Amino acid sequence: MAEAEESPGDPGTASPRPLVSLGSATKGTEGLSDISISQDIPVEGEITIPMRSRIREFDSSTLNESVRNTIMRDLKAVGKKFMHVLYPRKSNTLLRDWDLWGPLILCVTLALMLQRDSADSEKDGGPQFAEVFVIVWFGAVTITLNSKLLGGNISFFQSLCVLGYCILPLTVAMLICRLVLLADPGPVNFMVRLFVVIVMFAWSIVASTAFLADSQPPNRRALAVYPVFLFYFVISWMILTFTPQ
């Protein structure tokens, strides 16, 4: 091929500088392998990081969140966990998004309702606030350690979360018993309270085992459920034997 002769004085007739160099024309199709990019071509472009990921990280951060929004978000999370306990089914919500706000609220509420109306409740044999608080949390910690020793694949705080939230049916039973005790005492009064406590006791057992059963080895589930049964039985007994005065 004959190249056009470049005239230095006439820019209009100057041909553009070739960008590629072809080899010998006699190589035929093999000449395509000799194509090379000219070094005079600038390599331009930008490497940008998508801003969506940064925006999502910024939005998910709670550092700039107001106190009101934080409290409302936590209350909604606690309410959703209460619904999971009231309608027990196999779910990992309590295990995945665990917290101790719900168990703390239920424990304090139950301890307050178990207080007697008399001013001096130490002499009448009634449970004190600290006693109820210690019994609930010490029992939950003991069951959690037993679960870990049996080879359960659940963390310490996840187990505390489940056991604490599953006190909700017994807290409802305590509220109903307080209302029933406003009526005249008698056999009917006791039978109503007994029925309510038994139903809520069974409800707590079913709800807790629905979340904790799969975290235990199949051949040791009975050993893991038995302390849970005793834990809720003690709380149920305290509710059933409670008298206002």
Side-chain angles (χ1 to χ4, degrees), residues 29 91 135:
T29 58
S91 175
I135 288 173

Short mmCIF file of all heavy atoms in Angstrom, two decimals, residues 29 91 135:
data_model
loop_
_atom_site.label_atom_id
_atom_site.label_comp_id
_atom_site.label_asym_id
_atom_site.label_seq_id
_atom_site.Cartn_x
_atom_site.Cartn_y
_atom_site.Cartn_z
N THR A 29 -4.68 -12.91 6.67
CA THR A 29 -5.45 -12.82 7.92
C THR A 29 -4.56 -12.80 9.14
O THR A 29 -4.99 -12.39 10.22
CB THR A 29 -6.41 -14.01 8.02
OG1 THR A 29 -5.66 -15.23 7.96
CG2 THR A 29 -7.43 -13.98 6.90
N SER A 91 -39.40 -20.33 64.41
CA SER A 91 -38.88 -19.12 63.78
C SER A 91 -37.56 -18.76 64.45
O SER A 91 -37.33 -19.08 65.61
CB SER A 91 -39.87 -17.96 63.91
OG SER A 91 -39.32 -16.77 63.41
N ILE A 135 -34.88 -15.15 91.29
CA ILE A 135 -35.35 -16.47 90.88
C ILE A 135 -35.48 -16.56 89.36
O ILE A 135 -35.06 -17.54 88.72
CB ILE A 135 -36.70 -16.79 91.55
CG1 ILE A 135 -36.48 -17.07 93.05
CG2 ILE A 135 -37.37 -18.01 90.90
CD1 ILE A 135 -37.78 -17.24 93.83
#
